[in-house]
Amino acid sequence: MAAAGAISVWISTSTPTKITAFNTKPRISYPLKLSRNGIYPLSTFEKNGQHEQNFTIKAAASSSVGSAEYTEEPATKVKFQRSLSLPGCSTSLSLLGTGYREKIFAIIGVKVYAAGLYVNDSVFSRLDAWRGRSAADIQQDPSLFNNIFEANLEKSLLIVLVRDIDGKTFWDALDEAISPRIKSPTANDKSALSTFRAVFQGKPLKKETSIFLTWIDPTKMLVSLSFDGMPSSVDATVESPNVASALFDVFLGGDPVSPTLKASVAKGLEATLK
């Protein structure tokens, strides 16, 4: 949301007029008309029977836009909705943590995208064994993340680009992380990777493009691209237990491509399971 702003309002009425603010919109208790008498000091005064006043109405800074609340990923300033309703999901998903992906070019770290993990809230009922654990303990416990992945409940990774990149380059970097995690790919795995790749081929991915990678269950993923907000449809269905598991491990396994995302998710779990 934009930073707090101020709107200067001049009014003129035949009686003293009261203005209050409600959701940053002025609410006026008497009829009014704009003053045509020029600019006056910031105080109420009477001129020709008219009571005039300059009001400055300030809009407070907020992390919400309309009714949707947001969490900001601090390194990239990308804002993530705290709840998402996505194509193919039976219920809304809740944001658990955010982070960013950084690539090293000539020893300089360049941020490529921000990422947020969303889960079906029902997954927390499967995690009672980790209640009261610290974020540090949670982050180092692969069995917890395996439990989340294996739950037959939707979860989604939202990637938001913070720079322009062509689709082939994005896919090549993702495939570079996925493929080594599939030790002996089957024909089905290769077909699933080909379907996955086709979503990005030949597409210029501009800054602020959103990529939704949604696990419907441990064997099936939905891929959606959006260039202007939330997706309206699914661009591809990837059906392969090995590919689905490898992608989850890329971000939340023992050697994640975004350590900041996994650390943030661990903090989110600590807060939820305390």
Side-chain angles (χ1 to χ4, degrees), residues 150-263:
E150 291 168 3
N152 195 28
L153 297 165
E154 302 101 332
K155 41 211 159 271
S156 186
L157 183 77
L158 168 54
I159 292 173
V160 181
L161 299 182
V162 297
R163 61 182 58 252
D164 295 351
I165 185 171
D166 67 89
K168 182 181 183 303
T169 300
F170 178 85
W171 168 255
D172 287 349
L174 191 58
D175 185 46
E176 186 180 88
I178 294 173
S179 290
R181 288 171 162 85
I182 305 174
K183 301 304 180 185
S184 300
T186 65
N188 182 59
D189 297 335
K190 293 176 183 178
S191 175
L193 287 170
S194 178
T195 299
F196 204 169
R197 180 190 308 113
V199 175
F200 304 101
Q201 295 301 308
K203 291 187 175 69
L205 304 179
K206 299 296 185 181
K207 180 180 178 181
E208 299 181 356
T209 295
S210 295
I211 301 164
F212 298 82
L213 307 175
T214 303
W215 294 267
I216 297 300
D217 59 45
T219 69
K220 181 178 178 180
M221 288 174 43
L222 306 179
V223 184
S224 299
L225 297 185
S226 178
F227 303 99
D228 57 359
M230 296 299 296
S232 58
S233 61
V234 173
D235 291 291
T237 299
V238 177
E239 298 190 69
S240 162
N242 289 334
V243 174
S245 175
L247 181 67
F248 194 84
D249 189 72
V250 165
F251 290 93
L252 295 162
D255 184 22
V257 297
S258 174
T260 55
L261 173 64
K262 187 175 181 182

Side-chain angles (χ1 to χ4, degrees), residues 9-253:
V9 179
W10 282 90
I11 66 169
S12 175
T13 68
S14 58
T15 58
T17 300
K18 179 182 179 182
I19 290 183
T20 57
F22 182 75
N23 287 346
T24 75
K25 295 181 180 179
R27 176 173 290 175
I28 301 162
S29 58
Y30 298 98
L32 63 86
K33 62 182 179 179
L34 293 176
S35 173
R36 292 181 297 215
N37 298 316
I39 298 176
Y40 299 95
L42 298 180
S43 61
T44 302
F45 65 95
E46 185 172 332
K47 182 176 182 180
N48 297 327
Q50 300 293 302
H51 296 269
E52 301 192 3
Q53 174 73 55
N54 175 270
F55 294 86
T56 298
I57 301 172
K58 293 184 177 180
S62 173
S63 61
S64 64
V65 177
S67 60
E69 295 184 342
Y70 289 76
T71 292
E72 183 179 89
E73 195 289 307
T76 60
K77 308 302 182 186
V78 172
K79 292 180 174 61
F80 289 86
Q81 290 189 39
R82 293 180 185 169
S83 179
L84 289 182
S85 295
L86 296 173
C89 291
S90 62
T91 187
S92 61
L93 307 181
S94 300
L95 182 65
L96 193 53
T98 65
Y100 63 90
R101 173 77 160 107
E102 188 174 67
K103 289 286 285 183
I104 304 299
F105 297 99
I107 76 169
I108 299 174
V110 177
K111 294 177 179 63
V112 181
Y113 57 75
L117 181 70
Y118 292 80
V119 298
N120 184 321
D121 287 343
S122 296
V123 75
F124 299 124
S125 64
R126 298 170 54 94
L127 304 177
D128 287 342
W130 289 273
R131 292 193 180 277
R133 300 273 294 276
S134 70
D137 286 343
I138 288 171
Q139 190 171 350
Q140 299 301 319
D141 191 341
S143 62
L144 182 150
F145 291 96
N146 289 339
N147 203 309
I148 292 174
F149 173 72
E150 291 168 3
N152 195 28
L153 297 165
E154 302 101 332
K155 41 211 159 271
S156 186
L157 183 77
L158 168 54
I159 292 173
V160 181
L161 299 182
V162 297
R163 61 182 58 252
D164 295 351
I165 185 171
D166 67 89
K168 182 181 183 303
T169 300
F170 178 85
W171 168 255
D172 287 349
L174 191 58
D175 185 46
E176 186 180 88
I178 294 173
S179 290
R181 288 171 162 85
I182 305 174
K183 301 304 180 185
S184 300
T186 65
N188 182 59
D189 297 335
K190 293 176 183 178
S191 175
L193 287 170
S194 178
T195 299
F196 204 169
R197 180 190 308 113
V199 175
F200 304 101
Q201 295 301 308
K203 291 187 175 69
L205 304 179
K206 299 296 185 181
K207 180 180 178 181
E208 299 181 356
T209 295
S210 295
I211 301 164
F212 298 82
L213 307 175
T214 303
W215 294 267
I216 297 300
D217 59 45
T219 69
K220 181 178 178 180
M221 288 174 43
L222 306 179
V223 184
S224 299
L225 297 185
S226 178
F227 303 99
D228 57 359
M230 296 299 296
S232 58
S233 61
V234 173
D235 291 291
T237 299
V238 177
E239 298 190 69
S240 162
N242 289 334
V243 174
S245 175
L247 181 67
F248 194 84
D249 189 72
V250 165
F251 290 93
L252 295 162

